[in-house]
Amino acid sequence: MELKMRWRSWKSDWRYATSLLCTYGFFSTVKPLEPFLIPFLTGPDKNLTSEQVNNRILPVWTYSYLAVLVPVFLLTDWLRYKPVLFFQSVALFVTNALLLWTKSVAAMQATQFVYSVVTACDVAYFSYIYSVIEVKRYKKATSYIRSVQLLGYTVGSVLGQVLVSFDLMSYDNILVLTLVLIAVAMVVTPLLPLPKKSMFFHRKNHDAPEDSGVDIHMGSNEENRSDTQTSTRRFGKVLSLLWQDFVECYSSHNLLIWSLWWALATCGYNQTVNYVQVLWEHVEPSQNASIYNGGVEAVSNLLGSATAYGVELYLGGLSGLGAASLFLMTFIGNIWVCYAGYVVFKCLYTLLITIAMYQIAAGLSVERYALVFGVNTFGALVLQTILVFVVVDSSGLGLGIIPQFTIYASYFAAIATVFLLRRIFTIITSRSDRPTLEESRF
């Protein structure tokens, strides 16, 4: 009896849900093949060309992510996170199964679509914990779930590097190992407590509609119709609240500036990370070109995390350094320069996006932060979709990898120029109008 009571007490403790979520986060992010995805697709296993991968397969992820992001965001809140986490693990399993057992361009495009659903479901991973623990535990739990996800990515990169470097496993066998790890994550999700509330659709003190529960002796058809009307009104009320919060949040000049940088930089970052392996293959097309991909990803993850605790610098200056690293990667035909430039670029982005998140989150409730996070991500995806269609997609310009990265580097140079000019303008105007200094500061 005492043991049973202790078990119930442990299940109700915040550490139970946090531990399970961290376990899920770790096993779902250990992806040893990810640093070697492009060599896998263009090698003898799939025998696809670089043009097919670059111009026809990879763009599908961007288009699909944009299409599913908003529906998944709303569905995640409505279903209260847990079912979406299970669905994410299933979709991740299907993604790797398709990579393992299919070969055609169409099949690889389907893989990118399924993986876009996996990416969109990340909102459930980061939002779940806030619905099952007290507010005073938010900061500690957030640090745990973010750290364990970074650990998973790093372990996956190192594991992939070891397996490939020492020829311990073929790419197919690495995928089988990944499926086993995902299966562990899948088994964990049913053990998670189902939240009783969510951020928008199931708020803790959500006021019921005025006429809900009226006429409880109705027939089944009338009851169903009443339930449908109630659900429709509730959905409309949630959308109305979301719109009001959106207007109020983005009326803040400080939040708007940081959000603008977030959307612009995330667009360029996603493009760089998605296509950097194609660049590495182009720079060093020999058989061993990808031998250090996993190590570079691991180092960039760890250093990126470390720089997030560094000193705050200006958006323009660090964005300019990011642009410079991309130019070096593009025009210096050396794989080691490419690797070093990628590490620098990723560290700079990680530092700046962490600062941006902190600046935006300051003073916002969890609900509003989730809304701003979703809106900024959607804005980045809209920009990325335009960039992919014009620059990458075979229906657009269908450029090669060197012209692509020239554009990405120029894109970050433009961001740096805009924010540096704004900073200079702020400094000049602040000298003549001291009271507005704090309002103009990033």
Side-chain angles (χ1 to χ4, degrees), residues 348-362:
L348 290 173
Y349 173 81
T350 304
L351 170 61
L352 286 174
I353 198 66
T354 302
I355 295 171
M357 287 178 174
Y358 173 78
Q359 291 288 335
I360 290 172

Side-chain angles (χ1 to χ4, degrees), residues 90-144:
V90 172
L92 188 57
F93 191 93
V94 171
T95 298
N96 285 271
L98 287 171
L99 281 173
L100 179 60
W101 289 307
T102 62
K103 291 187 176 182
S104 67
V105 171
M108 293 301 103
Q109 289 174 329
T111 301
Q112 290 294 304
F113 171 77
V114 178
Y115 190 66
S116 73
V117 176
V118 175
T119 312
C121 289
D122 275 343
V123 66
Y125 176 76
F126 289 109
S127 302
Y128 169 85
I129 201 65
Y130 302 126
S131 63
V132 294
I133 66 173
E134 303 110 324
V135 175
K136 63 181 181 181
R137 307 289 188 187
Y138 280 4
K139 186 176 181 179
K140 184 175 289 188
T142 300
S143 67
Y144 288 157

Side-chain angles (χ1 to χ4, degrees), residues 100-253:
L100 179 60
W101 289 307
T102 62
K103 291 187 176 182
S104 67
V105 171
M108 293 301 103
Q109 289 174 329
T111 301
Q112 290 294 304
F113 171 77
V114 178
Y115 190 66
S116 73
V117 176
V118 175
T119 312
C121 289
D122 275 343
V123 66
Y125 176 76
F126 289 109
S127 302
Y128 169 85
I129 201 65
Y130 302 126
S131 63
V132 294
I133 66 173
E134 303 110 324
V135 175
K136 63 181 181 181
R137 307 289 188 187
Y138 280 4
K139 186 176 181 179
K140 184 175 289 188
T142 300
S143 67
Y144 288 157
I145 62 176
R146 288 188 179 277
S147 297
V148 81
Q149 194 178 54
L150 174 64
L151 177 64
Y153 284 126
T154 304
V155 169
S157 298
V158 172
L159 179 60
Q161 185 65 69
V162 171
L163 294 176
V164 171
S165 295
F166 294 98
D167 200 21
L168 300 177
M169 279 189 180
S170 65
Y171 287 143
D172 282 352
N173 288 336
I174 291 176
L175 278 172
V176 172
L177 173 62
T178 306
L179 290 174
V180 173
L181 296 173
I182 297 169
V184 175
M186 196 184 303
V187 170
V188 169
T189 52
L191 302 176
L192 288 165
L194 180 65
K196 296 180 181 179
K197 61 186 178 70
S198 65
M199 293 184 183
F200 303 110
F201 285 97
H202 307 281
R203 295 193 180 192
K204 189 173 183 179
N205 296 315
H206 185 76
D207 294 326
E210 293 179 2
D211 59 348
S212 61
V214 176
D215 197 5
I216 59 175
H217 301 292
M218 291 189 285
S220 58
N221 290 336
E222 292 177 342
E223 288 177 351
N224 292 336
R225 190 181 307 115
S226 177
D227 290 342
T228 301
Q229 292 172 350
T230 299
S231 298
T232 302
R233 281 194 294 270
R234 179 174 295 180
F235 184 76
K237 185 176 181 179
V238 168
L239 292 182
S240 176
L241 289 172
L242 286 173
W243 175 250
Q244 292 174 15
D245 284 350
F246 169 82
V247 173
E248 189 168 342
C249 286
Y250 286 93
S251 63
S252 166
H253 184 259

